[in-house]
Amino acid sequence: MGNQTVVSEFLLLGLPIRPDQQDLFYTLFLAMYVTTVLGNLLILVLICLDPHLHTPMYLLLSNLSFSDLCFSSVTMPKLLQDMRSHISSISYAGCLTQMYFFLLFADLESFLLVAMAYDRYVAICFPLHYTAILSPRLCLSLLVLSWVLTICVSLLHTLLMARLSFCADNVIPHFFCDMSALLKLACSDTQINEMVIFILGGLVIIVPFLLIFSSYAQIASSILKVRSARGIRKAFSTCGSHLSVVSLFYGTIIGLYLCPSSNNSTVKETVMAVMYTVVTPMLNPFIYSLRNQDIKGALRRVFSKWTISFFFNQ
């Protein structure tokens, strides 16, 4: 320990972008981040203002939009700042804080997708008992459980990371404080951290994915029993948005963590991280609004109400 240098800050290498392309990518990522913020805020405002959307499905969707908004905000402002100022340092405390909130909202999205899959399962397989099964109390319990679990899991990872010692090497080959990248820099024993990651990784990623797969297997079985084409189209319309979000979220995670590549692994990790931290939160509002008649109807009602109120107040 006497020969170790205490690390007070880390250096983020950022994205593998050539210097002459910095301005182009800065504009692109800034536009994507603004779109993410505005899209998710719009869904949150519509669900809050329109009484027709005060249902379990849209309560879960509002939490997903809030999670996407925060998830993107954990990394994007720092990335944009680093791209503009070319100073990519982050303090030790700031790095652990960023890691904590990154894990919190990433894990929260995983649990919310499970709750939304259960909502779709009940809506299609037990439509006449939907309100009785998925009561407001059960929906609130699912949300509270999701928040409590994710807070505990992310806090445990952060506390275990805080106990590690870091030597002179403080360069993180990423654009944010990724947990796996930090573990590679530690010069103390990381076996406990790796064991906890392995155990809780199953809880946060594998178990939710299997639960979602099981829900859609039951949904598919129920759809096959429907003989009317209209009923099948309605079922697919009901599940299409959620399936798209699940594919985006878990597709990138599986591609990153379950399909390792020996060549250009750092570049691959960075690109895949951009997919689920930047692209997915930006696309989710469009996926849920473009083909969702309830959201479109709420937008028309809120816009009409604001327009009438504006003219009457003139």
Side-chain angles (χ1 to χ4, degrees):
M1 292 294 293
N3 295 328
Q4 292 178 2
T5 302
V6 177
V7 173
S8 60
E9 66 177 13
F10 294 96
L11 297 178
L12 300 170
L13 288 186
L15 299 173
I17 301 173
R18 297 202 307 265
D20 59 312
Q21 297 178 334
Q22 285 284 339
D23 291 339
L24 174 63
F25 277 93
Y26 175 83
T27 305
L28 175 63
F29 284 122
L30 178 61
M32 294 172 71
Y33 179 61
V34 171
T35 303
T36 301
V37 172
L38 294 179
N40 285 289
L41 276 179
L42 177 62
I43 290 183
L44 283 170
V45 169
L46 289 177
I47 293 175
C48 290
L49 294 181
D50 196 313
H52 296 86
L53 300 183
H54 294 174
T55 62
M57 173 184 174
Y58 291 105
L59 177 60
L60 294 172
L61 178 57
S62 65
N63 276 263
L64 181 67
S65 294
F66 177 76
S67 176
D68 281 333
L69 176 61
C70 296
F71 186 43
S72 183
S73 298
V74 169
T75 57
M76 285 302 294
K78 176 60 178 171
L79 172 62
L80 293 171
Q81 178 189 356
D82 292 346
M83 293 179 71
R84 181 51 59 191
S85 64
H86 305 290
I87 301 174
S88 57
S89 63
I90 184 171
S91 66
Y92 175 80
C95 191
L96 290 184
T97 302
Q98 187 185 56
M99 190 193 80
Y100 169 77
F101 284 106
F102 178 85
L103 293 172
L104 172 64
F105 292 111
D107 296 347
L108 179 62
E109 180 147 350
S110 183
F111 286 119
L112 287 175
L113 290 176
V114 175
M116 295 175 78
Y118 179 69
D119 171 83
R120 296 300 84 203
Y121 163 72
V122 175
I124 293 176
C125 298
F126 306 98
L128 299 179
H129 303 283
Y130 176 78
T131 54
I133 297 175
L134 206 67
S135 62
R137 182 177 180 180
L138 176 60
C139 187
L140 185 61
S141 299
L142 290 174
L143 286 174
V144 171
L145 180 62
S146 299
W147 277 95
V148 170
L149 283 176
T150 53
I151 288 173
C152 293
V153 168
S154 54
L155 183 61
L156 178 59
H157 283 305
T158 306
L159 292 176
L160 288 175
M161 186 67 69
R163 58 179 278 276
L164 298 179
S165 301
F166 294 92
C167 305
D169 187 7
N170 66 338
V171 178
I172 300 176
H174 222 306
F175 65 92
F176 67 94
C177 291
D178 182 56
M179 182 167 56
S180 59
L182 281 173
L183 285 178
K184 294 176 182 178
L185 298 181
C187 52
S188 53
D189 188 14
T190 61
Q191 286 187 354
I192 296 178
N193 298 69
E194 293 169 357
M195 181 182 67
V196 171
I197 290 172
F198 178 78
I199 295 173
L200 294 184
L203 173 65
V204 174
I205 298 176
I206 304 300
V207 172
F209 180 77
L210 292 177
L211 290 174
I212 293 173
F213 181 82
S214 176
S215 296
Y216 275 101
Q218 296 292 329
I219 290 172
S221 176
S222 178
I223 289 175
L224 292 176
K225 298 177 182 177
V226 178
R227 300 193 176 183
S228 67
R230 181 180 178 183
I232 294 176
R233 283 197 302 270
K234 184 177 180 181
F236 276 112
S237 176
T238 303
C239 299
S241 299
H242 183 256
L243 266 177
S244 302
V245 173
V246 168
S247 301
L248 277 172
F249 183 75
Y250 284 102
T252 52
I253 290 178
I254 290 173
L256 178 59
Y257 294 107
L258 300 184
C259 301
S261 173
S262 57
N263 297 323
N264 300 323
S265 58
T266 302
V267 175
K268 176 189 172 183
E269 288 178 6
T270 305
V271 172
M272 297 298 284
V274 168
M275 282 297 298
Y276 69 79
T277 59
V278 181
V279 179
T280 301
M282 181 190 69
L283 292 180
N284 285 355
F286 294 98
I287 292 172
Y288 275 106
S289 59
L290 290 179
R291 296 183 60 186
N292 192 310
Q293 298 303 319
D294 293 337
I295 294 291
K296 291 180 181 178
L299 182 60
R300 286 193 295 267
R301 287 189 293 270
V302 171
F303 182 75
S304 299
K305 187 183 298 184
W306 284 355
T307 303
I308 294 172
S309 175
F310 174 77
F311 281 112
F312 272 104
N313 290 331
Q314 292 298 316

